[in-house]
Amino acid sequence: MKIATFNVNGINTRLPAVLAWLGRERPDVACLQELKAAHEAFPRQAIEAAGYGVVWHGQKAWNGVAILARDAQPVEVRRGLPGDPGDAQSRYLEAEVGGVLVGCLYLPNGNPQPGPKFDYKLAWFDRLIAHAQRLWDSGAPVVLAGDYNVVPTDEDIYDPRSWRKDALLQPESRERYRRLLDQGWTDSLRQAFGDRRVYTFWDYFRNRWERDAGLRIDHLLLSAPLAQRLETAGVDRWVRGEPRPSDHAPAWVQLGAARRTRRRTAK
DNA sequence: ATGCCTAGAGTATCTAGA
């Protein structure tokens, strides 16, 4: 089972690129972020014609998340993170697909910092941590996939010097990502790549793609039942090199078949 | 310190992204 996450930066602008990617890589599940489309402006028919069932949470102009499932209909179980009924931004969607609980998230960018946008980022992150703890405690097979807008360490960026004041590298952002991992989640790309560099985002500015001056900010966190099924993880870099690309490339995990649960032996 | 590049809204030039 291949599960992917892709910040598309505008689903309608990027529709040809998304369809080309789905056709070539054939992920079983695809979490999309930054749809930048109102609910009624989402290209449902084109996605379904490509063989994918879909649930989505749109928003005019900004944000927006979707979960796609190949030859299946995702069963939505949650829309929006709990903890703040006044939060109107479309940044979290949760659905069940093929026995896996899929959380698709688009964590706030938080720039400029300090300021209200950074405060919102940290508050949103705290709500995610609280929700993730409940998911972890449930023991369910869960993947939390999306654009976290956090560069976890200096090994996850081509050169941190010019980014030191950026919200993505702040100690407050990194500490929260660390706290998430400390719950037990497996950071699947880091797990698969070890010491090797791996990026998922290249800024449009300053030929950052051509120089491979990237950041790792899109993450797939696996709960224990999925972590033991992790076979490989990767980034579909070719997508970033296509004409009119998103500034992100899709990241993915390949999971092996679910093993039958071992019977516990009483002592 | 700021712009760089791209997208959406709307039709000039903002906001927002990361």
Side-chain angles (χ1 to χ4, degrees), chain A residues 149-153 155-158 168 177 181 187-191 193 196-201 214-221 235:
Chain A
N149 271 315
V150 178
V151 175
T153 74
E155 310 304 306
D156 297 303
I157 183 168
Y158 65 101
L168 279 63
Y177 189 74
L181 295 187
D187 182 337
S188 42
L189 267 84
R190 184 46 67 216
Q191 172 83 17
F193 279 76
R196 285 147 58 215
R197 294 273 177 159
V198 53
Y199 303 134
T200 66
F201 166 88
L215 286 65
R216 187 172 77 95
I217 56 177
D218 300 275
H219 308 302
L220 298 109
L221 303 193
V235 176

Side-chain angles (χ1 to χ4, degrees), chain A residues 11-68:
Chain A
I11 185 60
N12 286 304
T13 299
R14 214 68 62 209
L15 186 58
V18 170
L19 294 175
W21 169 65
L22 292 174
R24 178 160 155 188
E25 303 294 344
R26 295 176 57 79
D28 296 290
V29 178
C31 297
L32 308 185
Q33 303 87 32
E34 263 202 278
L35 302 179
K36 290 187 171 176
H39 183 81
E40 58 275 15
F42 184 86
R44 174 187 190 157
Q45 288 187 332
I47 297 293
E48 290 182 342
Y52 283 82
V54 58
V55 291
W56 72 99
H57 189 194
Q59 181 177 333
K60 189 177 181 182
W62 295 302
N63 307 320
V65 285
I67 299 173
L68 282 57

Side-chain angles (χ1 to χ4, degrees), chain A residues 1 4-5 18 26 36-37 47-48 51-52 66 79 90 98-99 111 114 128 150 155 164 226-227 248-249 252 259:
Chain A
M1 186 180 198
T5 180
V18 170
R26 295 176 57 79
K36 290 187 171 176
I47 297 293
E48 290 182 342
Y52 283 82
R79 175 168 296 233
S90 302
N111 281 306
L128 177 65
V150 178
E155 310 304 306
R164 279 294 176 215
L226 293 188
H248 296 249
W252 52 267
R259 285 193 302 179

Side-chain angles (χ1 to χ4, degrees), chain A residues 35-234:
Chain A
L35 302 179
K36 290 187 171 176
H39 183 81
E40 58 275 15
F42 184 86
R44 174 187 190 157
Q45 288 187 332
I47 297 293
E48 290 182 342
Y52 283 82
V54 58
V55 291
W56 72 99
H57 189 194
Q59 181 177 333
K60 189 177 181 182
W62 295 302
N63 307 320
V65 285
I67 299 173
L68 282 57
R70 187 156 58 84
D71 298 328
Q73 177 59 39
V75 179
E76 181 175 323
V77 295
R78 179 175 290 284
R79 175 168 296 233
L81 267 187
D84 182 2
D87 184 2
Q89 301 192 22
S90 302
R91 294 181 176 276
Y92 188 82
L93 192 59
E94 200 173 288
E96 190 276 328
V97 184
V100 173
L101 191 57
V102 179
C104 172
L105 65 105
Y106 175 44
L107 207 137
N109 170 293
N111 281 306
Q113 74 79 30
K117 292 192 174 182
F118 192 59
D119 296 341
Y120 174 67
K121 174 180 194 149
L122 298 183
W124 203 97
F125 219 145
D126 287 339
R127 288 162 58 207
L128 177 65
I129 290 168
H131 185 57
Q133 185 68 61
R134 288 189 292 270
L135 292 173
W136 179 270
D137 291 344
S138 77
V142 183
V143 55
L144 291 175
D147 178 357
Y148 283 69
N149 271 315
V150 178
V151 175
T153 74
D154 286 353
E155 310 304 306
D156 297 303
I157 183 168
Y158 65 101
D159 182 347
R161 279 178 298 181
S162 61
W163 293 79
R164 279 294 176 215
K165 293 184 176 174
D166 194 281
L168 279 63
L169 276 73
Q170 291 313 297
E172 296 91 335
S173 308
R174 289 179 161 181
E175 186 271 332
R176 279 168 175 77
Y177 189 74
R178 169 48 53 190
R179 226 192 301 159
L180 208 47
L181 295 187
D182 285 346
Q183 293 176 348
W185 301 88
T186 293
D187 182 337
S188 42
L189 267 84
R190 184 46 67 216
Q191 172 83 17
F193 279 76
D195 310 344
R196 285 147 58 215
R197 294 273 177 159
V198 53
Y199 303 134
T200 66
F201 166 88
W202 297 259
D203 207 305
Y204 290 125
F205 297 172
R206 291 182 162 172
N207 296 318
R208 292 259 166 78
W209 167 247
E210 289 77 4
R211 295 163 40 213
D212 194 23
L215 286 65
R216 187 172 77 95
I217 56 177
D218 300 275
H219 308 302
L220 298 109
L221 303 193
L222 305 179
S223 73
L226 293 188
Q228 66 178 13
R229 291 169 56 188
L230 177 61
E231 290 180 346
T232 55

